[in-house]
């Protein structure tokens, strides 16, 4: 039995299987590793055989035999079907797959809008639709959708991304109602500006490529994300800590919620 201990709080996911989409790197990898450390068997997912194998090896090097991989693109129907078939029983579903990019609002065409909704919204909807009934039948399960502060504070430079994440919040609330009274919870995690390789590239696009990283990060937070109370990018493990809590029996009374790990970015006293 593995226990994650923080003071007097113990999180034990022994015997649970967790599927984390897009978990070969970044936030998804951090989530997968933390779930493994809490005792869960973790299914790592990605589109590249090489990246998935590397992530599985890294997790298993830290938690013996905790992870296995499924290579599939959850952003399309065939890929989602492959993922469900190879995953088998899933007790904890973390819909982490998402894309973002900067674009002028009036220049975002229909194809881009469809691509963002297919990837950021429908990927999670499909997997939830397939796996939620099994959780309900067993009387226990967790569905966690990784959303963004951009769902609430729509960025002028990527309204298609922000709007897709708003839809994620709506879908999460709706699926939580579908699972009402069953022992299964469905929640969203509103992640704030987070330090990932993709965000490093995004910061470079916004503030330029001539600045050293630490200076570029400070300039980005000062000019593009001044609402942040942290004044820095969030680290992936800080998002993962909240996900592991919500995946655990300790969070049994939290469902239909949008829980913020945003560094105070959303200027609201309401969650």
């Amino acid at each position: 039995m593995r226990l994650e201990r923080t003071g007097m709080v113990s999180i034990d996911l022994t015997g649970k299987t967790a599927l984390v989409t897009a978990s070969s790197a970044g936030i998804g990898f951090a989530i997968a590793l933390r779930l493994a450390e809490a005792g869960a068997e973790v299914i790592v997912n990605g589109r590249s055989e090489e990246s998935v194998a590397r992530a599985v090896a890294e997790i298993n090097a830290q938690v013996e035999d905790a992870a296995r991989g499924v290579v599939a693109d959850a952003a399309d129907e065939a890929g989602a079907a492959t993922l469900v078939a190879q995953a088998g029983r899933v007790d904890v579903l973390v819909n982490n797959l998402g894309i973002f990019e900067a674009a002028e609002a009036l220049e975002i065409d229909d194809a881009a809008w469809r691509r963002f909704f297919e990837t950021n919204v429908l990927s999670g909807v499909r997997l939830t639709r397939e796996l939620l009934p099994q959780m309900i039948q067993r009387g226990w399960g967790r569905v966690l959708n990784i959303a963004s502060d951009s769902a609430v504070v729509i960025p002028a430079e990527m309204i298609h991304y922000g709007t897709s994440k708003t839809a994620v919040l709506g879908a999460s609330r709706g699926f939580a109602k579908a699972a009402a009274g069953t022992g299964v919870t469905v929640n969203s995690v509103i992640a704030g500006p987070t330090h990932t390789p993709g965000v490093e590239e995004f910061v470079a696009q916004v503030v330029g490529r001539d600045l050293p990283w630490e200076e570029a990060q400070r300039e980005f937070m000062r000019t593009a994300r001044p609402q942040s109370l942290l004044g820095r990018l969030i680290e992936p493990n800080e998002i993962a800590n909240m996900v592991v809590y919500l995946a655990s029996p300790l969070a049994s009374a939290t469902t239909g919620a949008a829980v913020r790990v945003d560094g105070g970015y959303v200027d609201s006293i309401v969650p």
Side-chain angles (χ1 to χ4, degrees), residues 138-208:
R138 292 192 296 267
W140 198 94
R142 299 288 186 263
V143 177
L144 295 161
N145 297 302
I146 306 304
S148 166
D149 56 73
S150 296
V152 183
V153 186
I154 305 292
E157 73 276 8
M158 48 180 183
I159 66 170
H160 51 342
Y161 171 74
T163 304
S164 72
K165 289 299 186 178
T166 306
V168 168
L169 298 184
S172 294
R173 181 69 184 178
F175 281 122
K177 291 181 178 180
T182 66
V184 179
T185 66
V186 183
N187 292 291
S188 297
V189 174
I190 297 181
T194 304
H195 183 193
T196 65
V199 169
E200 286 192 15
E201 174 61 25
F202 181 63
V203 168
Q205 292 177 24
V206 174
V207 303

Side-chain angles (χ1 to χ4, degrees), residues 37-58:
E37 290 172 340
E41 177 194 11
V42 175
I43 302 167
V44 174
N45 162 248
R47 293 179 296 180
S48 160
E49 188 81 48
E50 180 182 358
S51 65
V52 170
R54 182 172 58 247
V56 168
E58 288 183 33

Side-chain angles (χ1 to χ4, degrees), residues 238-258:
E238 294 177 299
I239 307 297
N241 289 338
M242 179 61 77
V243 172
V244 172
Y245 165 71
L246 291 172
S248 77
L250 297 178
S252 56
T254 303
T255 191

Side-chain angles (χ1 to χ4, degrees), residues 69-116:
V70 176
V71 179
D73 185 357
D76 66 57
E77 292 182 61
T82 297
L83 183 52
V84 169
Q86 294 189 25
R89 171 176 172 148
V90 173
D91 302 293
V92 178
L93 169 63
V94 183
N95 289 311
N96 171 68
L97 176 62
I99 56 174
F100 65 94
E101 67 181 1
E104 292 291 335
L106 298 179
E107 296 177 3
I108 304 169
D109 60 18
D110 285 2
W113 278 101
R114 291 190 188 99
R115 179 166 57 91
F116 269 74

